[in-house]
Amino acid sequence: MTEMSASRPFAALVDRLKAAGLRPTRQRLQLLRVLAEGGHRHLTAEQLASEAKAAGFGVALATVYNTLNQFTQAGLLREVVVEPGRSYFDTNLGDHHHFFDESANRLIDIPADQIAVAALPAPPVGKRVARVDVIVRVTDSDTSL
């Protein structure tokens, strides 16, 4: 560890928040640290709140939701809505899609080159397609047949 990073352990996170146009508050820094330490993954707000608490940083669930929404709007996360009122937040911002394992309630990445969308309708006048998200729902096989 360099002398600079030892004296400013959150420097990279502060820079990341500032680059995204967000003020580096204590809550944002702590939640971003918890998110960053886990690598690419998919979390619900409840899971992030639980991980933050386990890391010694208790935070209200409403604050976690607000912060996740701010991170998503700033381009630091991607929200994956699996059904109304149920979202996961994805730390992988690269081009990819998802399996949603309904029996385990978890998302699994699918590389973008493994999905081919044959055709899209023309967007409404004055709009453009920003991206296409594919969620393939899977469940446990019935091996009793």
Side-chain angles (χ1 to χ4, degrees):
M1 185 180 294
T2 68
E3 186 177 323
M4 172 72 106
S5 62
S7 65
R8 296 184 56 216
F10 291 104
L13 299 177
V14 168
D15 292 344
R16 195 167 166 196
L17 287 171
K18 286 181 177 179
L22 295 173
R23 196 167 49 89
T25 64
R26 185 177 64 84
Q27 287 96 347
R28 287 179 184 150
L29 284 167
Q30 291 289 353
L31 291 173
L32 187 58
R33 188 196 84 203
V34 171
L35 286 166
E37 287 175 349
H40 289 312
R41 59 202 180 123
H42 311 97
L43 292 166
T44 63
E46 293 80 3
Q47 289 169 326
L48 181 57
S50 177
E51 287 188 19
K53 183 177 180 182
F57 176 65
V59 61
L61 188 56
T63 300
V64 172
Y65 272 105
N66 289 336
T67 303
L68 287 170
N69 287 322
Q70 292 164 356
F71 285 176
T72 300
Q73 289 173 355
L76 297 173
L77 292 175
R78 189 166 153 189
E79 183 178 15
V80 180
V81 179
V82 295
E83 59 191 32
R86 187 164 180 203
S87 294
Y88 288 81
F89 294 87
D90 191 350
T91 61
N92 180 357
L93 300 177
D95 191 20
H96 69 287
H97 304 285
H98 296 96
F99 284 112
F100 178 63
D101 184 339
E102 293 178 335
S103 52
N105 290 319
R106 70 183 183 112
L107 288 173
I108 303 163
D109 287 344
I110 303 171
D113 63 358
Q114 292 186 12
I115 299 275
V117 178
L120 292 174
V125 174
K127 300 293 179 180
R128 68 174 178 79
V129 174
R131 76 173 193 245
V132 175
D133 294 320
V134 176
I135 298 176
V136 179
R137 295 173 181 279
V138 297
T139 190
D140 291 339
S141 300
D142 184 2
T143 57
S144 64
L145 296 178

